[in-house]
């Protein structure tokens, strides 16, 4: 077999024919490693036909409508209504977040409809059986294969004629045709290429588990994401029970979908009403707590923001934020000092979003500010109030996207008052909830929402 070598960056997958000290693509030093590539490994057929020629759309037979539902509502939704035959779905997430648990639950539900093969490169068959028992997975249509050699694993896909195959995880799989160590960029690419080829020729659908690096990307090159049909990220705080499954790429559906799960002793359960679940157990008359509505994809989810301020004992005041961007919090504290004239210089401030949720939108600004003021003044906020609005540097309250959806969600959960940007009131005429328009942050101090 004719082969050549390339230098491949272990951080970003950049390829070059000659050695370089610094990767021109990602700027990392000493990451270019020499790798052998086999010329013919590059060729891959996307069609199941043996000889492909140009064809009209009406000539192409689709079996796309043939979706296999997982009977896990939250997962099916993120997939766009089920798993498409012959597709590749990458499930990424930090270690211990629950990827293997979710996929074992997929096994439980799919085993009644078709054959499923679970290839594990991380756990032994005994460990897998223990997890299966915990999740009450039974049946002879589920086959377990502890294997790290991808060629051997894929040969069993044909032999067992399975409909769904799970590869847990892509980083532990090893391909003989690339001579670099397992988990390297070259290995991951070759392994994924082989899986892709198998999926297209056999029609078997694959779930591939991918580990995530510290900065939140799937370990290995970006191209892994380009090769698969759908990329789902499993997020959440490992020490909290709520998990969010987010679609970041989907060739067969929308990427605006999220699934919400709760990790329990019996595995993951779907949370149909995340707002109610996240707000349960909320202290109703405590200071430092406020509620906002976040958009997770197209879904509005109510979340509780908690703040605690306490006098600084010594030196610089401490600031800590869990689930909210730290620099955003520091900025909002500066706005409180400058625009509201409240002293924060001698106050430590701690922020937390309940339930391990991550706030990555500015719509929560007003709620964060309210929670801090509430703790600072030791005054509780009316528990039936929701805050929506982005706060700008001059203290102005700015509009947020999808405000009517957020307001309806608050109304559905029985909230009575909603503080919204002044400019958004026009578009929110017929809602059954009291609206308070805020033009600047000063306005929230005036209103009768303070206990
Ligand atoms: P796991 O699926 O092994 O994570 P990953 O494959 O993403 O690394 O899940 C690990 C965690 O989930 C582990 O800390 C134990 C917990 N867990 C439960 O709380 N309940 C359960 O029923 C199961 C199977 C796991
Ligand atoms: Mg695992």
């Amino acid at each position: 077999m004719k082969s050549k070598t390339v230098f491949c960056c272990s951080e970003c997958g950049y390829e070059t024919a000659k050695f370089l000290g610094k990767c021109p693509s990602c700027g990392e030093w000493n990451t270019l490693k020499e790798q052998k590539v086999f010329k013919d490994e590059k060729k891959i057929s996307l069609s199941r036909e043996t000889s492909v020629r140009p064809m009209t759309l009406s000539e192409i037979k689709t079996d796309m409508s043939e979706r296999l539902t997982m009977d896990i509502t939250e997962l099916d939704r993120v997939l766009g209504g089920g798993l498409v035959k012959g597709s590749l779905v990458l499930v990424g997430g930090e270690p211990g977040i629950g990827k293997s648990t979710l996929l074992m639950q997929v096994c439980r539900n799919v085993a009644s409809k078709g054959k499923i093969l679970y290839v594990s490169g991380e756990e032994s068959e005994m460990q897998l059986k223990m997890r299966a028992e915990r999740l009450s997975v039974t049946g002879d249509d589920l086959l377990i294969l502890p294997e790290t050699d991808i060629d051997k694993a894929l040969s069993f896909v044909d032999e067992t004629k399975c409909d769904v195959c799970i590869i847990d995880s892509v980083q532990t799989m090893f391909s003989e045709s690339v001579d670099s160590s397992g988990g390297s960029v070259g290995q991951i690419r070759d392994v994924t290429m082989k899986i892709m080829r198998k999926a297209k020729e056999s029609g078997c659908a694959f779930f591939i588990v991918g580990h995530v690096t510290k900065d939140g990307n799937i370990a290995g090159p970006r191209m892994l994401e380009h090769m698969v049909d759908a990329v789902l990220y499993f997020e959440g705080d490992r020490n909290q029970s709520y998990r969010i499954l987010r679609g970041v790429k989907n060739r067969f559906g929308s990427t605006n979908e999220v699934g919400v799960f709760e990790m329990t002793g019996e595995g993951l359960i779907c949370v149909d009403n995340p707002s109610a679940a996240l707000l349960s157990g909320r202290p109703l008359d405590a200071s430092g707590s406020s509620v906002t509505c976040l958009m997770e994809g197209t879904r509005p989810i109510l979340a509780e923001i908690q703040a605690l301020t306490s006098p600084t004992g010594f030196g610089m005041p401490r600031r800590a934020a869990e689930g909210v961007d730290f620099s955003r919090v520091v900025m909002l504290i500066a706005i409180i000092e400058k625009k509201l004239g409240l002293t924060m210089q001698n106050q430590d401030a701690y922020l937390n979003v309940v339930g391990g949720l991550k706030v990555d939108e500015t719509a929560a600004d007003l709620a964060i500010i309210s929670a801090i003021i509430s703790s600072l003044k030791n005054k509780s906020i009316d528990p039936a109030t929701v805050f929506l609005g982005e706060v700008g540097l001059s203290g102005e309250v700015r509009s947020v996207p999808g405000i009517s959806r957020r307001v309806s969600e608050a109304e559905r959960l029985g909230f009575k008052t909603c503080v919204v940007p002044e400019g958004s009131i026009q578009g929110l005429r017929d809602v059954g909830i009291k609206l308070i328009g805020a033009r600047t942050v000063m306005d929230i101090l005036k209103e009768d929402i303070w206990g």
Side-chain angles (χ1 to χ4, degrees), residues 207-224:
F207 278 106
I208 308 172
V209 172
H211 290 300
V212 157
T213 53
K214 280 196 296 299
D215 53 359
N217 291 322
I218 290 189
R222 261 287 136 112
M223 42 101 46
L224 188 58

Side-chain angles (χ1 to χ4, degrees), residues 95-96 98-101 118 122-123 131 168-169 209 211:
K99 301 179 292 297
S100 306
T101 306
Y118 193 118
E122 301 195 337
E123 290 159 300
R131 173 170 308 122
D168 190 359
S169 63
V209 172
H211 290 300

Side-chain angles (χ1 to χ4, degrees), residues 63-341:
D63 44 14
M64 294 283 242
S65 52
E66 246 186 70
R67 286 184 191 247
L68 187 62
T69 54
M70 310 280 110
D71 297 335
I72 301 176
T73 46
E74 299 292 302
L75 175 63
D76 285 333
R77 194 208 347 264
V78 179
L79 285 172
L83 189 62
V84 175
K85 219 176 148 184
S87 66
L88 256 73
V89 179
L90 180 64
V91 181
E94 285 174 27
I97 204 81
K99 301 179 292 297
S100 306
T101 306
L102 179 69
L103 293 174
M104 191 51 98
Q105 283 176 255
V106 165
C107 294
R108 176 176 66 195
N109 297 357
V110 170
S112 57
K113 299 179 199 166
K115 263 214 150 83
I116 183 157
L117 176 66
Y118 193 118
V119 184
S120 179
E122 301 195 337
E123 290 159 300
S124 69
E125 64 274 29
M126 265 92 75
Q127 286 172 305
L128 287 165
K129 178 159 183 175
M130 269 152 62
R131 173 170 308 122
E133 276 172 354
R134 190 167 168 190
L135 301 170
S136 34
V137 185
T138 49
D140 293 333
D141 285 325
L142 167 63
L143 297 163
I144 303 280
L145 177 70
E147 180 64 79
T148 53
D149 184 334
I150 193 69
D151 297 300
K152 279 195 196 142
L154 292 179
S155 71
F156 284 110
V157 170
D158 291 331
E159 204 180 306
T160 59
K161 296 198 172 52
C162 61
D163 303 293
V164 179
C165 177
I166 293 167
I167 307 282
D168 190 359
S169 63
V170 66
Q171 280 95 359
T172 53
M173 290 296 146
F174 179 82
S175 166
E176 295 254 303
S177 47
V178 175
D179 64 351
S180 61
S181 57
S184 70
V185 176
Q187 282 287 352
I188 291 174
R189 183 190 15 214
D190 199 60
V191 165
T192 316
M193 204 80 102
K194 282 182 171 161
I195 297 172
M196 185 164 153
R197 188 176 306 138
K198 183 60 78 186
K200 302 300 166 199
E201 72 187 29
S202 70
C204 171
F206 282 82
F207 278 106
I208 308 172
V209 172
H211 290 300
V212 157
T213 53
K214 280 196 296 299
D215 53 359
N217 291 322
I218 290 189
R222 261 287 136 112
M223 42 101 46
L224 188 58
E225 290 187 12
H226 297 307
M227 285 159 74
V228 299
D229 298 308
V231 181
L232 314 180
Y233 272 101
F234 217 11
E235 299 171 357
D237 191 329
R238 243 187 308 171
N239 306 316
Q240 302 260 4
S241 58
Y242 292 103
R243 303 278 187 276
I244 289 188
L245 187 68
R246 195 185 299 277
V248 291
K249 166 179 175 178
N250 192 351
R251 285 189 183 143
F252 312 112
S254 145
T255 49
N256 264 334
E257 293 295 351
V258 292
V260 185
F261 296 90
E262 188 181 357
M263 180 64 95
T264 67
E266 284 84 47
L268 292 155
I269 51 171
C270 296
V271 180
D272 304 325
N273 193 349
S275 298
L278 284 165
L279 293 182
S280 67
R282 181 166 63 110
L284 295 182
D285 48 3
S287 63
S289 158
S290 70
V291 177
T292 187
C293 188
L294 306 169
M295 287 305 260
E296 289 292 356
T298 54
R299 262 169 125 190
I301 296 180
L302 292 174
E304 182 191 349
I305 311 268
Q306 291 186 327
L308 179 71
T309 59
S310 70
T312 306
F314 176 76
M316 292 268 286
R318 269 183 65 101
R319 273 99 180 76
E322 195 66 51
V324 205
D325 181 34
F326 181 78
S327 50
R328 190 90 200 160
V329 171
V330 173
M331 188 194 101
L332 295 174
I333 289 176
I335 293 173
I336 293 176
E337 285 223 298
K338 180 97 180 177
K339 299 291 165 189
L340 298 176

Side-chain angles (χ1 to χ4, degrees), residues 373-426:
I373 298 174
S374 166
S375 181
L376 191 66
K377 297 191 164 218
N378 209 10
K379 270 189 181 173
S380 66
I381 298 171
D382 169 37
T385 303
V386 175
F387 293 88
L388 295 173
E390 175 181 335
V391 177
L393 285 180
S394 4
E396 80 278 17
V397 179
R398 296 169 158 260
S399 62
V400 296
I403 189 137
S404 57
R405 282 245 254 337
R406 300 184 206 238
V407 173
S408 324
E409 177 74 357
E411 193 183 335
R412 190 177 73 81
L413 275 120
F415 282 81
K416 298 279 181 284
T417 315
C418 197
V419 182
V420 295
E422 176 86 53
S424 303
I425 291 205
Q426 279 279 315

